[in-house]
Amino acid sequence: MDEHVPVLLEEVMTMLAVKQDGKYIDATVGLGGHSEAILKKLGPCGRLLGLDRDSAALRKASKRLGNERVVLQKTAFADMSAVAAAREFSQCDGILLDLGVSMMQLKDHERGFSFQSEHRLDMRMDPDQEESAWHFVNKASEADLERILREYGEEHFARRIVRRIVAERRNASIDTCAQLADVVSAAYGRRGKTHPATRTFQALRIAVNREMEQLQNGLAAAEGLLRAGGRLCVLSYHSLEDRMVKQFMRNSAREGRVLLLAKKPIAASRDETRRNPAARSAKLRGCERL
Ligand SMILES: C[S@@+](CC[C@H](N)C(=O)[O-])C[C@H]1O[C@@H](n2cnc3c(N)ncnc32)[C@H](O)[C@@H]1O
């Protein structure tokens, strides 16, 4: 499925409160769903800078958005300050971060994100990056792997799973997603509602893409780029991300740099979740620069 349904679109648009002649940064442009809605609100003098670290996503977004008011650039959002300065977006009116992977990335089995994939373990959002999930699974030390599963997957059975991985890879490398899913399932030895490999895959994806470092640095960069009255909106999809966003915004509010736009995170309605399962765990938080 190429079509990506933007999550919490109405709520994001209300929170961003796009000004006709404003400058906006969509720091995770993906397939351009949110960007398209922002563009609709922008007048002829408004401008949008769209970033993503996946060039395949940017190619698709450019077909969808192709417009003289948009500039698209391959950049990891932790590095957005330099790009924004070069493109004259240093004083902007709003920034959106819609975290995680897109449906396009997840469902393209060759990208190796899904435990159903028979392809090589990969999970790189930026295919130009050197280290993939294969490297972590086959080359990382036992202690590092265990820490990754515990920290990023909040996986209670981290030790048991990692022991099994290490025993398996001594015989032969674990090459495909499906192979890793089987190893994890065998270590679990029981099945619940969710696939036993869900947490392991989430943890590896976060580690491979350095998602927590990206988020910490991206939030700070974004806050620094907003003019007074400019708004930062962040959509997160798991508790580690949401905790980081919450703490960052609360801290900035306490120190008098921003005003929180909602005390509690905004979640998708039951109706939206039914229509778009990707919205199930989404949480939206926002703040305004003072
Ligand atoms: C959930 S999708 C965004 C979907 C988009 N809002 C839409 O409506 O089509 C997340 C996108 O962010 C990108 N991404 C994730 N982390 C990133 C980072 N640190 N820097 C730049 N792009 C990132 C992914 O490659 C993916 O394309």
Side-chain angles (χ1 to χ4, degrees):
M1 182 185 82
D2 259 11
E3 202 188 315
H4 171 84
V5 189
V7 171
L8 284 165
L9 181 59
E10 232 175 84
E11 293 80 354
V12 166
M13 294 309 290
T14 304
M15 201 176 250
L16 267 182
V18 173
K19 292 187 202 145
Q20 274 210 338
D21 57 352
K23 283 185 180 178
Y24 290 85
I25 301 177
D26 183 347
T28 50
V29 77
L31 300 186
H34 290 99
S35 280
E36 187 176 62
I38 295 172
L39 273 177
K40 279 193 189 140
K41 295 269 180 195
L42 287 176
C45 295
R47 287 175 62 211
L48 176 70
L49 173 61
L51 311 175
D52 203 294
R53 55 179 172 183
D54 181 353
S55 30
L58 285 174
R59 274 196 297 279
K60 297 217 167 178
S62 119
K63 279 196 195 138
R64 181 173 187 172
L65 304 171
N67 182 319
E68 68 281 359
R69 292 169 302 161
V70 190
V71 189
L72 297 177
Q73 184 155 335
K74 180 174 180 280
T75 307
F77 57 61
D79 306 324
M80 75 172 104
S81 303
V83 180
R87 302 282 189 174
E88 295 178 12
F89 273 79
S90 286
Q91 285 280 305
C92 65
D93 298 281
I95 299 178
L96 171 65
L97 297 180
D98 179 10
L99 302 171
V101 280
S102 68
M103 274 297 159
M104 177 192 81
Q105 291 164 329
L106 263 183
K107 297 213 164 173
D108 180 350
H109 280 190
E110 288 186 23
R111 302 285 300 262
F113 281 102
S114 156
F115 40 71
Q116 286 154 356
S117 167
E118 297 288 347
H119 289 270
R120 189 176 167 91
L121 275 164
D122 190 329
M123 302 192 196
R124 290 168 302 168
M125 289 186 201
D126 175 0
D128 296 330
Q129 179 185 308
E130 235 170 70
E131 286 201 333
S132 67
W134 187 93
H135 291 95
F136 279 81
V137 170
N138 290 291
K139 302 288 176 205
S141 70
E142 189 165 343
D144 278 350
L145 264 182
E146 194 179 324
R147 182 188 51 77
I148 287 170
L149 262 58
R150 251 187 236 295
E151 243 175 67
Y152 300 149
E154 300 181 288
E155 173 55 88
H156 297 307
F157 297 121
R159 173 157 307 159
R160 205 199 287 179
I161 292 169
V162 170
R163 275 205 191 133
R164 191 88 180 205
I165 290 175
V166 170
E168 290 286 333
R169 75 185 190 186
R170 242 180 243 127
N171 300 329
S173 58
I174 302 171
D175 293 328
T176 69
C177 298
Q179 270 177 293
L180 177 63
D182 286 346
V183 172
V184 177
S185 301
Y188 245 81
R190 67 174 178 84
R191 269 181 185 270
K193 250 197 286 171
T194 48
H195 192 289
T198 305
R199 287 172 182 277
T200 299
F201 273 63
Q202 172 186 302
L204 284 169
R205 198 200 81 199
I206 293 174
V208 168
N209 296 291
R210 302 190 185 287
E211 292 179 34
M212 301 319 290
E213 294 100 300
Q214 278 288 317
L215 182 55
Q216 192 68 56
N217 296 334
L219 289 168
E223 190 188 280
L225 289 171
L226 291 172
R227 67 168 81 222
R231 292 180 163 199
L232 170 63
C233 298
V234 186
L235 274 168
S236 64
Y237 295 87
H238 56 77
S239 55
L240 293 176
E241 284 173 348
D242 182 55
R243 210 174 299 148
M244 189 174 272
V245 177
K246 177 172 81 180
Q247 280 166 1
F248 176 84
M249 289 189 181
R250 282 202 180 151
N251 190 43
S252 294
R254 212 176 300 120
E255 293 177 2
R257 293 192 299 276
V258 305
L259 189 77
L260 298 182
L261 293 171
K263 282 224 167 71
K264 295 217 158 137
I266 298 171
S269 65
R270 216 180 267 188
D271 189 40
E272 176 172 356
T273 310
R274 202 174 326 116
R275 280 182 285 118
N276 182 14
R280 203 178 41 229
S281 51
K283 284 190 175 156
L284 171 65
R285 293 185 187 268
C287 59
E288 182 176 307
R289 191 79 164 93
L290 292 170

